[in-house]
Amino acid sequence: MEFNLQTKPKAPVVTPETIYDVLIVGGGPAGLNAALYAKRKGLSVGILAERLGGQVLDTSSVENYLGFPSETGEGLMKKFQAHVEELKVPVKEHLQITGIETGRIKKIHTNIGEVFQAKAVILATGSKPRMLNVPGEKEFLGRGVAYCAICDGPLFAGMDVIVAGGGNSAVEAAIDLAKIANHVALVHRSQFRADQILVDQLRKKENVSIHLNTQIQSVEGEGLVSHINALDKESEEVVKIPGNGLFVEIGYLPNSGVFEDLVKQNGRGEIGVNARCETSQAGIFAAGDVTDMPYKQIVISAGEGAKAALTANEYINTLKEEE
Amino acid sequence: MTFLNEEIKKQLEEVFEPMKKEVIVALFATKEMCETCEDTKSFMAEMSGINEKIKLEVYDLKDDAELAETLQVKRAPAIVLLGEGRKDYGIQFNGLPGGHEINSFISGLLEVSGSGEKLPEVFAERVAKIDKPIDIKVFVTLGCPHCPGAVSKAHKLALENLNVRAEMIEAQTFSELSDQYNVSGVPKIVINGTEELVGDQPLEMFLDAIERL
Ligand SMILES: Cc1cc2nc3c(=O)[nH]c(=O)nc-3n(C[C@H](O)[C@H](O)[C@H](O)COP(=O)(O)OP(=O)(O)OC[C@H]3O[C@@H](n4cnc5c(N)ncnc54)[C@H](O)[C@@H]3O)c2cc1C
């Protein structure tokens, strides 16, 4: 029996009364590393987050973070958090940012009614799973359609499941599910994007079938998912792939909706940043999966978070010189 | 069998430090066909050994049927957290709260002991207005990192308004019940048997669903 203890003895809390140098929105790798760097620069800093840890907590194993050849997502995140906790950075968790007012002092509005204040803000809200947008997907959400393999995998023990996608998360999900499910069908509209080392592991699994160049058209079933219809692009035929579960792992969409009017975003809703993590709005910086920086990875998000904090530090210093 | 290693125990000691009042952990087990009852007993015994404010009472679903009925316990293993003066807030755990779910169990203990966080004002008013019986079931798996969040929110509602009952249900232990509610994604939140939410939804979504009833 494992115990995944997350609850921590009370850390200091971000308060609405204080005007911080920097407030960071988001507690994933980008937000946490930004906090580390900002604090070490001597800034007054706090983290506001819906759930500390971010997507890394939904990851079963991480094998590409330098210095940690093989860690669970949770294990790696515990180390990140412990490092930040040592510096006593105040945190306020379980809230959603609903908007930010610009100005010399930025006002951060939340769903819990409290408004927080800072001279600079770092947006590090990450991303959420992208949907297939095919008929049946919404209807069968929680009735076979799933977006978190480590959460919902056990509910499909001994059943047939389908994984949609061809990147690292899809291949990892398929490898993990193959241990629990009777059969796993991986379906992807083009060729693999995943690391070769993962694809090789997947190909070794006996209960996995791989359908590349196959486009999912609809999710079908009665009450619960029974199969998908997909277009085999080579034969141009529609094939029926049976499965009680469909795990959608086709990439991510930035959590940037609430910042639409605040900062410039590209067509995909990613916040535009320059090499210094500056956005189109003075005093608002952004880092990690929520930005238009290419490649969404833990090590990259963490690095970007550091950069955003260093740029924010310079911004705060110039403000102080002006005063 | 021991469940908690020294490291976790030490962390838990700190975590339970702020507990204000005693909490009774009323555990219901059964002698027949219960794979996890013994484990749940040992685990709860260890937890109650960590802080003296955690009092364990072990009952049998059949022998103590009357109490089970009063507390609306229908399955085993099930845990009810009772506050000062044996007050029943309707906070239940069905199935061993291990894995990630240890977090919702801890937060339940802290809340019932009176050391939880205050509900933000925007929600407090809406919660106070709930005037009909509400039953919230939150289905979870132990490997689900964002399930405890949903469980704790449901429990918080139960704590704040006695018309609300909220139970965590471990989907694999109670697979028949999960099948009955078509649970194939967690956390799945079912309110009064009809309103369904999937995912760790923010509190306002719980309240919207309750107000729709
Ligand atoms: C299943 C899976 C497997 C993966 N495997 C790997 C891997 O093996 N290696 C690797 O390098 N990368 C992997 N990734 C990608 C990696 O997890 C992300 O690139 C990384 O977590 C991005 O970090 P971030 O800090 O930008 O955002 P996130 O981790 O998404 O964190 C976002 C934070 O913002 C908070 N938030 C969001 N919106 C709001 C709001 N409105 N208000 C308040 N808070 C908000 C969230 O609660 C969270 O704390 C994987 C991802 C997934 C989902």
Side-chain angles (χ1 to χ4, degrees):
Chain A
M1 181 101 235
E2 247 184 90
F3 293 98
N4 314 72
L5 195 67
Q6 287 286 333
T7 320
K8 291 281 153 56
K10 283 241 178 309
V13 184
V14 181
T15 59
E17 295 77 36
T18 317
I19 298 173
Y20 293 88
D21 287 333
V22 189
L23 278 176
I24 296 159
V25 187
L32 290 172
N33 211 28
L36 180 79
Y37 269 73
K39 183 78 188 187
R40 288 174 56 89
K41 281 285 169 199
L43 300 180
S44 69
V45 56
I47 300 176
L48 304 170
E50 198 173 348
R51 179 170 67 116
L52 276 184
Q55 288 171 62
V56 181
L57 287 182
D58 297 341
T59 308
S60 59
S61 72
V62 177
E63 299 180 350
N64 54 8
Y65 196 89
L66 185 66
F68 299 89
S70 174
E71 263 286 356
T72 60
E74 196 190 350
L76 187 63
M77 186 40 69
K78 275 204 176 134
K79 295 199 165 97
F80 288 2
Q81 277 176 256
H83 195 169
V84 175
E85 268 159 29
E86 265 177 31
L87 298 175
K88 305 228 179 323
V89 176
V91 175
K92 180 93 182 168
E93 219 186 337
H94 311 302
L95 47 65
Q96 276 180 340
I97 303 314
T98 51
I100 296 178
E101 265 178 76
T102 53
R104 242 187 120 73
I105 306 293
K106 279 115 196 125
K107 294 199 162 35
I108 305 178
H109 293 262
T110 64
N111 69 330
I112 59 167
E114 287 182 356
V115 181
F116 298 93
Q117 313 179 69
K119 293 175 192 157
V121 179
I122 296 175
L123 309 177
T125 45
S127 57
K128 58 174 177 292
R130 205 157 71 100
M131 298 182 69
L132 283 162
N133 288 323
V134 297
E137 183 182 21
K138 277 216 182 96
E139 185 190 335
F140 289 108
L141 171 68
R143 292 167 178 270
V145 174
Y147 299 87
C148 175
I150 62 166
C151 304
D152 300 338
L155 300 169
F156 295 89
M159 298 189 208
D160 293 346
V161 298
I162 302 157
V163 174
N168 279 347
S169 345
V171 173
E172 274 171 24
I175 293 171
D176 286 344
L177 288 167
K179 293 172 202 154
I180 314 169
N182 176 55
H183 181 266
V184 180
L186 182 131
V187 181
H188 183 48
R189 60 177 180 180
S190 53
Q191 294 302 315
F192 276 121
R193 268 183 299 120
D195 298 344
Q196 191 58 43
I197 189 167
L198 286 173
V199 175
D200 291 343
Q201 276 178 41
L202 182 70
R203 289 196 193 277
K204 279 199 203 113
K205 298 269 174 192
E206 275 168 11
N207 58 341
V208 173
S209 61
I210 297 171
H211 310 256
L212 298 175
N213 277 320
T214 306
Q215 179 114 27
I216 298 178
Q217 291 185 322
S218 63
V219 187
E220 308 283 341
E222 268 175 45
L224 298 170
V225 174
S226 63
H227 65 278
I228 56 165
N229 288 330
L231 177 71
D232 180 335
K233 288 186 189 165
E234 270 153 39
S235 67
E236 292 188 2
E237 268 172 42
V238 175
V239 291
K240 188 170 156 178
I241 303 173
N244 309 103
L246 170 64
F247 288 85
V248 182
E249 302 278 352
I250 55 165
Y252 288 84
L253 277 182
N255 293 321
S256 60
V258 293
F259 311 124
E260 213 169 27
D261 301 325
L262 179 73
V263 289
K264 282 216 179 84
Q265 304 182 357
N266 67 13
R268 282 185 298 234
E270 295 170 331
I271 298 172
V273 287
N274 62 15
R276 297 160 53 84
C277 296
E278 287 163 319
T279 68
S280 58
Q281 190 67 249
I284 309 260
F285 308 89
D289 276 19
V290 75
T291 70
D292 63 355
M293 125 334 279
Y295 312 120
K296 312 304 194 217
Q297 289 290 297
I298 301 167
V299 70
I300 294 174
S301 289
E304 292 283 308
K307 230 162 50 175
L310 295 174
T311 309
N313 179 50
E314 281 183 25
Y315 173 81
I316 297 291
N317 284 343
T318 43
L319 283 187
K320 280 182 185 150
E321 277 163 26
E322 282 167 22
E323 270 162 17
Chain B
M1 184 168 168
T2 53
F3 285 92
L4 303 169
N5 60 32
E6 285 309 311
E7 193 196 330
I8 295 196
K9 270 195 190 155
K10 254 183 97 185
Q11 282 174 303
L12 286 175
E13 271 168 31
E14 276 179 59
V15 169
F16 290 142
E17 195 68 34
M19 281 184 76
K20 286 192 187 132
K21 297 170 202 150
E22 256 179 39
V23 179
I24 292 169
V25 175
L27 164 63
F28 287 80
T30 173
K31 278 163 255 168
E32 36 207 69
M33 301 261 295
C34 181
E35 267 178 48
T36 53
C37 280
E38 285 309 311
D39 282 354
T40 310
K41 277 190 213 169
S42 329
F43 174 39
M44 285 303 127
E46 283 181 47
M47 290 293 264
S48 64
I50 293 173
N51 188 303
E52 55 179 24
K53 293 204 178 74
I54 307 172
K55 302 278 185 215
L56 175 63
E57 296 180 0
V58 181
Y59 297 101
D60 184 89
L61 197 56
K62 259 200 189 145
D63 303 346
D64 303 296
E66 210 173 302
L67 181 65
E69 196 177 325
T70 317
L71 298 177
Q72 302 191 33
V73 174
K74 299 183 189 78
R75 293 164 280 272
I79 297 161
V80 183
L81 299 183
L82 302 173
E84 199 178 30
R86 305 188 73 82
K87 184 167 174 184
D88 177 20
Y89 294 96
I91 293 180
Q92 260 188 50
F93 295 84
N94 292 262
L96 199 165
H100 284 279
E101 225 45 52
I102 190 176
N103 299 302
S104 66
F105 187 70
I106 293 169
S107 110
L109 283 173
L110 292 172
E111 289 282 355
V112 174
S113 86
S115 58
E117 261 182 60
K118 228 180 94 200
L119 200 63
E121 256 165 59
V122 276
F123 300 132
E125 248 179 62
R126 289 176 74 183
V127 176
K129 279 197 190 125
I130 301 173
D131 56 2
K132 56 184 165 229
I134 297 292
D135 164 76
I136 310 179
K137 292 184 167 51
V138 184
F139 291 90
V140 306
T141 59
L142 299 186
C144 164
H146 45 259
C147 286
V151 173
S152 294
K153 280 174 212 156
H155 282 162
K156 184 77 180 168
L157 293 175
L159 192 87
E160 298 285 330
N161 186 321
L162 291 177
N163 289 319
V164 182
R165 309 184 49 83
E167 49 185 348
M168 174 278 258
I169 296 168
E170 204 278 299
Q172 285 175 286
T173 307
F174 301 105
S175 55
E176 270 175 37
L177 192 67
S178 338
D179 286 346
Q180 188 188 324
Y181 286 97
N182 281 329
V183 177
S184 66
V186 288
K188 177 156 177 169
I189 302 149
V190 183
I191 306 180
N192 285 9
T194 52
E195 286 289 326
E196 294 188 354
L197 301 168
V198 180
D200 178 13
Q201 300 290 343
L203 211 49
E204 53 263 43
M205 297 293 283
F206 280 79
L207 291 168
D208 289 351
I210 290 172
E211 285 161 9
R212 273 198 299 271
L213 283 164

